[in-house]
Amino acid sequence: MAKAKVGPTGYGSWGILWEDFPYMERRGGYSGPFKTLEDAERKALEIMAFYEEPVQKIERVATLHP
C-alpha cells in the first residue's frame, strides 16, 4: 500500500513523506514543498495514480519534522 504522510514542514510550507512506495522512496522519500495542504494531497494522489498504485492512503500528520 502506498502511503503518503502529508503535513507541515516547519518552514511555512507543506510536504509529503512516502512509505511503502518504492518508486518515491528511491527518490528520497519526500516530495515538496507545497503552498497548501490541499496542494500536497492533490499531488500525492496524482503521483500514486501515475504509478497505478492499487491501494493508496493519505494520512495527515501534525508535522513532518517531529
Side-chain angles (χ1 to χ4, degrees), residues 3-57:
K3 186 186 299 181
K5 290 187 173 185
V6 179
T9 64
Y11 301 102
S13 61
W14 298 83
I16 306 166
L17 285 179
W18 297 99
E19 289 183 1
D20 302 323
F21 192 17
Y23 298 109
M24 296 310 289
E25 289 175 304
R26 281 192 292 254
R27 293 186 163 113
Y30 174 81
S31 297
F34 300 96
K35 291 184 179 188
T36 68
L37 172 64
E38 292 78 17
D39 289 343
E41 289 178 335
R42 184 173 26 260
K43 188 63 171 183
L45 289 172
E46 288 173 5
I47 290 170
M48 288 187 282
F50 178 80
Y51 287 104
E52 299 179 354
E53 275 298 304
V55 181
Q56 306 168 5
K57 179 178 181 183

Side-chain angles (χ1 to χ4, degrees), residues 6-10 17 60-66:
V6 179
T9 64
L17 285 179
R60 291 183 181 180
V61 295
T63 182
L64 295 182
H65 303 287

